[in-house]
Amino acid sequence: MSRHSFMLNGERVSVDADDDVRLLWVLRDLLGVTGPKYGCGLDVCKACTCHINGKAFNPCSVPVSAIKPTDEITTIEGLADQQTGRLHPMQQAWLDHDVAQCGYCQPGQIMTAVAKVRQARAEGREVSDTDLDELRNICRCGTYFRIREAIKAAAVKM
């Protein structure tokens, strides 16, 4: 067992885990961060999507040994303003557009959407339908239309 240290939602954490344990299990089982959901474990469904250094990734497919001490992991729990508790515009848009049904995929959907909007902005453009077509998170309830509308609304406020 090895000691692993990294930034999680703005705080330094350290955990003892075997090097091959997937980061999702470290987050959920060892650190008690349950926003990222287990869906497939194969980097397909995207229910576990988080950010690493500001970019979307799926911790179900990443061993904890691949995470460096300088890496910053953000989960849905770290998305809201840490000082005020105010929801991130994407989280608020999810509520305003009544996106969630069962809610299982929603943390991953939101984290992917935030990363996609940030990517478009970094490229000097607004999020487009083509960008939204690239999103591959699976929603078994089929709220894709509301997801797209929420992303577009939040992008204006981000």
Side-chain angles (χ1 to χ4, degrees):
M1 200 168 296
S2 301
R3 187 99 173 135
H4 303 277
S5 179
F6 53 92
M7 295 296 292
L8 176 62
N9 296 328
E11 295 183 20
R12 173 131 328 262
V13 296
S14 293
V15 64
D16 293 320
D18 290 333
D19 288 345
D20 62 346
V21 172
R22 300 297 173 173
L23 181 60
L24 179 61
W25 302 125
V26 170
L27 294 172
R28 292 184 57 81
D29 295 345
L30 302 178
L31 296 171
V33 178
T34 58
K37 305 298 186 217
Y38 174 74
C40 67
L42 301 170
D43 193 20
V44 173
C45 77
K46 315 279 188 225
C48 66
T49 303
C50 297
H51 295 169
I52 183 167
N53 305 321
K55 296 184 179 180
F57 85 115
N58 298 98
C60 72
S61 63
V62 177
V64 69
S65 61
I67 306 302
K68 298 179 293 243
T70 56
D71 285 335
E72 295 184 29
I73 308 299
T74 306
T75 67
I76 192 77
E77 289 88 348
L79 201 54
D81 186 299
Q82 299 299 306
Q83 303 299 320
T84 66
R86 183 177 177 163
L87 294 178
H88 185 279
M90 194 67 71
Q91 291 171 305
Q92 188 60 52
W94 242 248
L95 295 173
D96 294 346
H97 289 266
D98 197 29
V99 173
Q101 285 188 16
C102 83
Y104 195 82
C105 70
Q106 299 311 300
Q109 295 272 5
I110 290 169
M111 297 303 286
T112 299
V114 168
K116 182 54 78 174
V117 171
R118 287 179 181 164
Q119 176 190 6
R121 292 280 163 75
E123 295 170 1
R125 59 185 181 76
E126 297 298 317
V127 69
S128 67
D129 283 332
T130 301
D131 291 317
L132 299 180
D133 290 344
E134 293 172 357
L135 302 179
R136 294 290 177 235
N137 296 63
I138 295 172
C139 172
R140 290 183 180 166
C141 299
T143 65
Y144 295 110
F145 177 77
R146 293 192 311 242
I147 289 168
R148 291 174 76 96
E149 293 302 307
I151 294 169
K152 289 176 186 177
V156 173
K157 297 177 182 178
M158 286 177 57

